[in-house]
Amino acid sequence: MHEFSLAQSMLEVAVSEAQRVGAHHITRLKCRVGDLRQIDGQLLRDAFEVVREGTVCEGAELDVEKVRARAHCSRCERDFEVCDGDWVCAQCNGLAQLLEGGDELEIISLEAEVDS
Amino acid sequence: MKIEVVRKVLEKNDQAAQQNRRRLDELGITCFNILGGAGSGKTSLLEALLPRLKNKYCVAVLEGDLATTRDAERIAALDVPVVQILTDGGCHLNATLVQQGLSRLELVGLNLLFVENVGNPICPANFDLGEHRRIVVLSVAEGDDKPSKYPLLFKDADLIVISKCDLLEHTRFNLSAALRDIRCVNSQARVIQTDTKTLRGIDELSQWVSAEPLLGKD
Ligand SMILES: Nc1nc2c(ncn2[C@@H]2O[C@H](COP(=O)(O)OP(=O)(O)OP(=O)(O)O)[C@@H](O)[C@H]2O)c(=O)[nH]1
Ligand SMILES: [Mg+2]
Ligand SMILES: [Zn+2]
């Protein structure tokens, strides 16, 4: 159940961005989450709905962009996306090796209302 | 207005972890974060390992648990300084909890610090605590499919201990399949097979720990 503490951390990042740009309201934030983190996007949004109350993010939408892990098959020199923890190369049935990435966990954009 | 940024969600934890690591570096302490599923045998490994290490090094332990001080009591029985960190329902340790734990330990003169994380194959892997090395414990009782099911846990491990190897003959745990799947997600980690009943692998484990660069550097 790490979704809740991650939603809390996302809120903290959003609040500090709001302060940085002088926004009084954040309406949307977008995060990128690698599959390896094994985070349930719906649970994350649900948790965010709870933690955003009474903050500058009140009512803000959370978009979750999932990123697949990638693996390399050394037998056919091919990179492919890993689905559901399946490390077998579809071309040669060989086992592949995890490549960098797939463990992203970051805020990549926010939509803010700023006093003019 | 739209703000484009790239900010790590766990940036606050990562900063606290860096502070911990810097502090430990200054004190010449090598820190090991021990992770694994509930009941994988983390405390048992410490119970087997610590008597060998404490003759040579000044050792202490931070015990992370959801509740109870039982693991800390097991370590204290070995006459090793230990601080229990209770997460109060939290499913993982984080760098701030470790910071608080450090403040309750006598750090001066210490060489080795082991942090036993909350038994959980998923959440703790997300949180850098400021350790120098990650030890992941996979017990034969849990099944050989765990490296594929929990890749994040295994991918950043420096050492993977396959524990309870005395149970190999009683289970359908396929050792070669487990080793193969470990290599899919982690090509570097050292793998040691242990059994705390006959103490198989414990010497090897002790040597691996003692080979850490900070040790003997004074
Ligand atoms: N057969 C066998 N049992 C073991 C071995 N090591 C540990 N156990 C048993 O496994 C159970 C759990 O061991 P612990 O050392 O408490 O496991 P843990 O990972 O510290 O557990 P938590 O901290 O609660 O997650 C106990 O009943 C141990 O006696 C081993 O090498 N062989
Ligand atoms: Mg334990
Ligand atoms: Zn292939």
Side-chain angles (χ1 to χ4, degrees):
Chain A
M1 283 302 100
H2 46 327
E3 282 82 0
F4 207 86
S5 71
L6 293 177
Q8 185 65 43
S9 302
M10 287 182 174
L11 178 71
E12 285 166 19
V13 171
V15 168
S16 96
E17 278 299 313
Q19 281 167 352
R20 191 176 66 82
V21 302
H24 60 84
H25 192 203
I26 300 283
T27 53
R28 181 178 290 272
L29 60 161
K30 190 168 179 182
C31 65
R32 192 185 285 143
V33 177
D35 267 353
L36 292 176
R37 297 281 177 178
Q38 296 182 315
I39 288 167
D40 183 322
Q42 188 55 48
L43 275 182
L44 187 61
R45 280 190 294 273
D46 291 348
F48 189 72
E49 260 179 45
V50 175
V51 299
R52 74 186 181 189
E53 290 308 300
T55 74
V56 71
C57 290
E58 179 110 37
E61 296 286 329
L62 176 66
D63 295 337
V64 182
E65 180 190 316
K66 287 279 199 162
V67 184
R68 287 239 195 261
R70 299 180 61 77
H72 175 77
C73 173
S74 49
R75 216 184 295 169
C76 28
E77 289 298 331
R78 186 177 83 90
D79 293 352
F80 62 93
E81 285 188 346
V82 179
C83 298
D84 300 323
D86 187 359
W87 304 91
V88 179
C89 169
Q91 236 165 65
C92 75
N93 264 336
L95 276 177
Q97 280 210 316
L98 180 63
L99 291 167
E100 285 288 304
D103 58 353
E104 293 78 2
L105 188 52
E106 55 210 12
I107 302 282
I108 52 171
S109 72
L110 303 93
E111 280 169 31
E113 289 171 357
V114 185
D115 290 315
S116 48
Chain B
M1 77 187 266
K2 185 161 184 191
I3 313 166
E4 308 271 355
V5 287
V6 178
R7 283 184 65 173
K8 297 247 186 289
V9 172
L10 295 175
E11 59 180 23
K12 235 174 83 183
N13 182 78
D14 293 347
Q15 282 159 13
Q18 278 305 337
Q19 284 169 14
N20 289 347
R21 194 152 25 237
R22 223 172 299 133
R23 179 142 173 244
L24 293 165
D25 282 344
E26 280 163 16
L27 290 157
I29 302 170
T30 308
C31 177
F32 301 83
N33 182 4
I34 307 179
L35 305 91
S40 53
K42 300 176 290 298
T43 312
S44 300
L45 275 181
L46 284 173
E47 285 174 315
L49 181 64
L50 294 177
R52 301 182 187 216
L53 291 173
K54 71 178 205 161
N55 301 328
K56 283 194 286 181
Y57 305 109
C58 233
V59 189
V61 175
L62 292 180
E63 272 296 340
D65 274 296
L66 281 152
T68 85
T69 55
R70 290 202 191 177
D71 282 2
E73 285 160 23
R74 286 165 64 186
I75 301 300
L78 305 169
D79 220 10
V80 168
V82 56
V83 166
Q84 179 82 54
I85 307 173
L86 290 181
T87 59
D88 196 23
C91 50
H92 56 266
L93 287 177
N94 61 47
T96 307
L97 285 171
V98 167
Q99 216 156 43
Q100 289 160 7
L102 289 177
S103 70
R104 291 161 59 200
L105 266 183
E106 178 56 87
L107 295 175
V108 177
L110 208 60
N111 309 117
L112 294 173
L113 176 67
F114 293 92
V115 182
E116 181 182 335
N117 221 308
V118 178
N120 175 339
I122 304 178
C123 311
N126 289 290
F127 295 85
D128 182 6
L129 304 180
E131 71 268 20
H132 296 97
R133 297 286 182 265
R134 249 180 206 211
I135 301 177
V136 169
V137 183
L138 163 67
S139 74
V140 163
E142 290 167 275
D144 51 35
D145 54 355
K146 296 304 172 285
S148 302
K149 281 192 180 165
Y150 305 115
L152 190 70
L153 175 64
F154 290 89
K155 99 181 176 63
D156 294 324
D158 298 292
L159 169 69
I160 296 168
V161 173
I162 301 186
S163 66
K164 310 192 191 181
C165 281
D166 54 299
L167 297 181
L168 276 171
E169 55 180 316
H170 304 291
T171 61
R172 273 184 229 104
F173 189 95
N174 183 332
L175 187 60
S176 57
L179 294 170
R180 186 195 64 204
D181 290 354
I182 283 171
R183 288 302 170 225
C184 285
V185 296
N186 187 327
S187 58
Q188 304 281 323
R190 173 80 178 272
V191 178
I192 297 180
Q193 299 170 32
T194 66
D195 150 15
T196 54
K197 285 167 104 183
T198 64
L199 297 183
R200 169 180 169 200
I202 302 301
D203 273 335
E204 205 181 337
L205 184 56
S206 165
Q207 280 157 16
W208 182 84
V209 167
S210 308
E212 283 310 303
L214 280 177
L215 294 176
K217 209 179 71 177
D218 194 357

